[in-house]
C-alpha cells in the first residue's frame, strides 16, 4: 500500500500537507528523522502513518498522559490497532499491552517516558518487534528547551536497549541548540531533517535604528496612529512605566503590565486587553502567554530583546487573524547594556554561588535560618554585585536542595533554611563548565539579535535561516526587502574610501581591544562623530 492510499484509507484525508510526504518517505526508508514544525502543522501523521505501513510496532514517547489517551482514543475510533502503556494503568492492563506487542496485534503504542526507567519494562519489550521509535515533544530532551524532562534523558539508552530501531523526533521548538541536543542525545545517525512552516506571511518585520528616546517615541506615535491595536515590549519595569506615561495621551486605552504589579492588577490589565476595553499594552516579556487576541496589528520592541527566539515568539503575537501586521524593533546599540545585565544576573558563576552559600551559613541562627533580603545579602557581600545574580544563586541552591526557601507570615520577604549544615560552598556539586557554557549561549543569542538588527537581507528569511528552515524566499514585506528595491551597490570613490577608513579608525581607537579580534564599544555614535569632527567639548576632553 502506498502512503497516499494509507492516508485515504486509514485517515480519510485527500492529500498530504507540505512537507509530510517527504518526512514519511524518510521514515519509511528507515532513516533517523528530525521534524520541527509549528503546533498544528500535522506532525502526528508523520509517525502514525508509517507505523501502519512498517512491519513491526511503533513506540511513541509522549510526555502527557492526557494527550496520549486522546491520541490513542482517536486512532482506536478509526479502527486502528493502537494502545498505550503508562502508570495510570493496572499491572494487568500493562501486561496485556505487552502481550499484544509480542503477538504483533498492535501497530502503535504510546509510552510515557518514565516507563523507560524500569529495566524490567525494557527487558519485557521484544527487541525484534519494534520498527520505529518516535519521540513526540522531543524538545523535552534538551536542557535548553523550555520544558526539560529528566526522564527524556534516558531515551538514548532506551533506544539501544530495544534493539536500536530507527528513530523520528518531533517538536515545535525550533532553536538550533535544542535541535543539536535532540540529535546528540538520541545518537541520531545522519538524520533527515525537516524544519518547516515557521514563516508568517502576513507579518512585516522592520528594524528602526534609533539614537534617542525622542526617535523611539516618534516611532511609537506613528505606529499607534496607523494601527489601533498593539503591544509595546520594554526590557524593564522602569521602562514600561516611563513609556506608558509618555504615550498615554495618544490613545484612550493604554495599559501597562509587568511583574512589579500585584496579581490582581495584572489580571485586571490582561482582562481589559482581551475584552477590547484597552487596545495598547506597554509590557515586559511577562505579558503574552495565553493572550488570545487575534487582531493585534503591531508588536513593537522598544528595546532589543535578549534572543531571536524571544523576538519571534513575542512578535508572532501580531496578526493571528491572518491580516497584515507589523513587527517593529526600535534598535539602539546602547540598549545592549540592559541585556548584558540580565545575562550576568541569570548566570552567577560557581564561585559566587559558593560564596553566597557560605554567607548564608555564617549569618544563620540556631535553627539554621536566615531572614535577609536579596539587597541585604548583596550589602553583606561587601562589594557591588548584581542583585539578579544573587537571586539566581538562591534559586540554584534551592534546586540542589542545599537551601530551602520558606514564606514568612505577613511579609513579602522569604526566609532561607540551610539544608546541608556543616558543608561548605566549595563542596557544591555544581558543574562550573556547564554554567559557563550556558552563559556563553545566552551571550551568543544576544549577539544574534544585534546581527539581525544590522542585517541588510530579508528579515523573515534571516529568522527562518536562524531556526534552520532553509531555502525560503524573500518576503518582499520587511524594511530590507522594501529598501533593496531602491538600493544598488556602487564602488566608493577614493575620497569616500578615505573617509570610511578614518571613521573606522575613529571607532577602533574609541573602543577597547579585548584581543583575538574582539572589540568592545565604549562610546556611542554621537561621541565618535564629535571626536572625528574635532570637538573640544568638555565631555570629549574629559574622556581622554
Ligand atoms: P501537531 O502535532 O503538529 O501539532 P497534529 O498532528 O495534531 O499537529 O495535526 C493538526 C491537525 O491537522 C489535526 O486535526 C490533523 O488531523 C490535521 N491534519 C494533519 N495532516 C493533515 C492532512 N494532510 N490533511 C488534512 N488534515 C490534516
Amino acid at each position: 500500500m502506498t502512503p497516499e492510499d494509507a492516508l485515504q484509507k486509514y485517515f480519510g484525508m485527500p492529500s498530504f500537507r507540505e512537507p509530510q510526504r517527504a518526512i514519511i518517505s524518510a521514515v519509511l526508508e528507515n532513516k533517523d528523522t528530525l521534524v520541527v514544525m509549528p503546533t498544528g502543522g500535522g506532525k502526528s501523521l508523520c509517525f502514525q502513518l508509517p507505523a501502519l505501513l512498517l512491519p513491526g510496532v511503533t513506540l511513541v514517547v509522549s510526555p502527557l498522559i492526557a494527550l496520549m489517551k486522546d491520541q490513542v482514543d482517536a486512532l482506536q475510533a478509526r479502527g486502528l490497532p493502537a494502545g498505550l502503556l503508562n502508570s495510570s494503568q493496572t499491572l494487568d492492563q500493562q501486561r496485556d499491552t505487552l502481550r499484544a506487542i509480542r503477538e504483533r496485534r498492535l501497530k502503535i503504542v504510546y509510552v510515557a517516558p518514565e516507563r523507560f526507567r524500569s529495566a524490567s519494562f525494557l527487558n519485557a519489550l521484544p527487541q525484534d518487534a519494534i520498527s520505529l521509535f518516535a519521540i513526540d515533544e522531543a524538545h523535552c530532551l534538551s536542557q535548553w528547551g523550555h520544558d526539560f524532562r529528566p526522564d527524556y534523558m534516558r531515551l538514548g539508552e532506551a533506544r539501544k536497549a530495544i534493539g536500536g530501531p530507527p528513530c523520528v523526533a518531533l517538536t515545535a521548538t525550533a532553536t538550533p541548540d535544542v535541535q543539536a541536543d535532540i540529535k546528540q542525545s538520541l545518537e541520531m545517525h545522519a538524520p533527515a531533517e525537516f524544519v518547516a512552516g515557521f514563516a508568517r506571511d502576513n507579518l512585516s518585520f522592520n528594524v528602526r535604528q534609533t539614537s534617542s528616546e525622542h526617535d523611539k517615541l516618534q516611532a511609537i506615535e506613528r505606529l499607534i496612529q496607523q494601527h489601533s491595536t498593539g503591544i509595546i515590549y520594554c526590557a524593564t519595569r522602569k521602562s514600561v512605566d516611563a513609556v506608558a506615561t509618555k504615550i498615554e495621551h495618544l490613545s484612550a486605552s493604554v495599559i501597562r503590565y509587568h511583574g512589579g504589579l500585584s496579581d490582581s492588577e495584572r489580571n485586571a490589565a490582561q482582562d481589559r486587553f482581551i475584552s477590547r476595553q484597552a487596545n495598547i499594552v506597554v509590557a515586559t516579556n511577562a505579558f503574552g502567554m495565553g493572550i488570545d487576541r487575534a487582531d493585534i496589528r503591531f508588536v513593537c520592541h522598544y528595546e532589543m530583546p535578549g534572543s531571536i527566539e524571544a523576538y519571534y515568539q513575542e512578535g508572532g503575537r501580531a496578526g493571528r487573524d491572518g491580516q497584515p501586521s507589523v513587527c517593529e524593533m526600535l534598535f539602539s546599540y546602547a540598549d545592549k547594556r540592559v541585556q548584558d545585565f540580565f545575562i550576568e544576573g541569570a548566570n552567577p558563576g560557581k564561585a559566587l554561588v559558593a560564596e553566597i552559600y557560605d554567607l548564608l551559613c555564617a549569618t544563620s541562627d540556631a535553627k539554621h535560618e536566615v531572614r535577609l533580603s536579596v539587597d541585604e545579602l548583596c550589602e553583606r557581600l561587601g562589594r557591588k554585585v548584581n542583585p539578579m545574580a544573587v537571586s539566581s544563586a538562591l534559586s540554584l541552591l534551592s534546586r540542589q536542595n542545599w537551601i530551602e526557601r520558606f514564606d514568612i507570615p505577613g511579609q513579602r520577604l522569604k526566609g532561607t533554611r540551610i539544608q546541608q549544615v556543616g558543608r561548605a560552598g566549595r563542596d557544591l556539586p555544581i558543574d562550573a563548565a556547564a554554567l559557563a557554557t550556558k552563559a556563553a549561549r545566552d551571550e551568543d543569542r544576544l549577539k544574534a539579535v544585534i546581527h539581525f538588527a544590522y542585517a541588510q537581507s530579508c528579515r523573515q528569511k534571516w529568522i527562518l535561516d536562524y531556526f534552520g528552515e532553509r531555502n525560503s524566499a524573500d518576503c518582499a514585506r520587511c524594511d530590507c526587502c522594501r529598501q533593496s528595491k531602491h538600493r544598488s551597490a556602487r564602488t566608493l570613490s577614493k575620497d569616500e574610501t578615505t573617509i570610511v577608513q578614518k571613521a573606522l579608525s575613529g571607532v577602533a581607537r574609541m573602543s577597547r581591544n579585548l584581543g583575538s579580534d574582539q572589540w568592545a564599544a565604549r562610546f556611542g555614535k554621537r561621541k565618535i562623530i564629535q571626536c572625528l569632527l574635532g570637538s573640544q567639548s568638555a565631555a570629549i576632553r574629559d574622556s581622554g
Side-chain angles (χ1 to χ4, degrees), residues 61 63 112-114 116-117 133 135 137-145 147-160 178 180-187:
V61 183
E114 68 271 10
F116 294 96
R117 262 186 242 158
F133 194 41
I135 322 289
E137 311 289 350
H139 59 272
C140 294
L141 264 167
S142 169
Q143 300 214 39
W144 317 109
D147 194 18
F148 172 60
R149 308 283 182 102
D151 276 322
Y152 263 70
M153 287 304 278
R154 264 180 285 270
L155 295 179
E157 288 301 312
R159 182 184 178 194
K160 283 185 209 145
V178 174
D181 277 358
I182 293 171
K183 287 186 276 189
Q184 193 195 0
S185 173
L186 291 171
E187 295 182 33

Side-chain angles (χ1 to χ4, degrees), residues 7 11-18 20 35 37-48 71 78 136-137 170-172:
L7 183 68
F11 296 92
M13 294 170 187
S15 60
F16 287 108
R17 284 185 194 154
E18 207 34 57
Q20 283 173 330
V35 178
M37 289 198 312
T39 304
K43 290 187 286 299
S44 313
L45 197 74
C46 301
F47 57 84
Q48 290 175 346
Q71 296 230 3
R78 293 185 180 278
D136 204 5
E137 311 289 350
L170 308 100
T171 175

Side-chain angles (χ1 to χ4, degrees), residues 378-399:
C378 286
E379 225 166 80
R380 297 214 180 191
L381 284 170
R383 61 177 194 280
K384 205 163 176 257
V385 182
N386 182 334
M388 271 177 69
V390 175
S391 291
S392 303
L394 291 174
S395 310
L396 213 153
L397 286 166
S398 161
R399 273 203 305 279

Side-chain angles (χ1 to χ4, degrees), residues 99-112:
R99 188 173 324 114
I101 295 175
R102 264 195 306 274
E103 292 170 2
R104 309 197 176 215
R105 282 184 281 120
L106 287 175
K107 298 298 290 179
I108 311 177
V109 180
Y110 280 73
V111 189

Side-chain angles (χ1 to χ4, degrees), residues 211-319:
S211 54
S212 64
E213 293 303 297
H214 179 73
D215 282 0
K216 292 190 177 197
L217 289 168
Q218 270 194 331
I220 292 190
E221 195 165 338
R222 266 192 302 270
L223 282 169
I224 294 179
Q225 276 160 3
Q226 283 165 9
H227 318 273
S228 49
T229 321
I231 307 176
I232 298 158
Y233 279 112
C234 297
T236 62
R237 297 170 188 182
K238 207 169 129 199
S239 169
V240 167
D241 284 328
V243 173
T245 305
K246 287 194 183 122
I247 64 166
E248 249 148 11
H249 68 281
L250 295 175
S251 165
S253 58
V254 176
I255 52 172
R256 44 186 96 181
Y257 188 103
H258 57 65
L261 304 175
S262 67
D263 286 352
S264 62
E265 285 171 314
R266 278 206 308 270
N267 288 339
Q270 189 166 317
D271 288 347
R272 285 190 65 206
F273 186 70
I274 294 174
S275 63
R276 295 175 163 69
Q277 293 165 46
N279 291 322
I280 305 286
V281 190
V282 188
T284 59
N285 60 6
F287 181 80
M289 282 288 174
I291 295 296
D292 190 11
R293 189 165 170 181
D295 64 344
I296 297 170
R297 289 282 78 84
F298 76 86
V299 170
C300 171
H301 281 84
Y302 193 79
E303 285 115 359
M304 70 175 89
S307 67
I308 294 292
E309 291 86 329
Y311 173 67
Y312 205 50
Q313 186 180 40
E314 287 156 10
R317 297 192 172 119

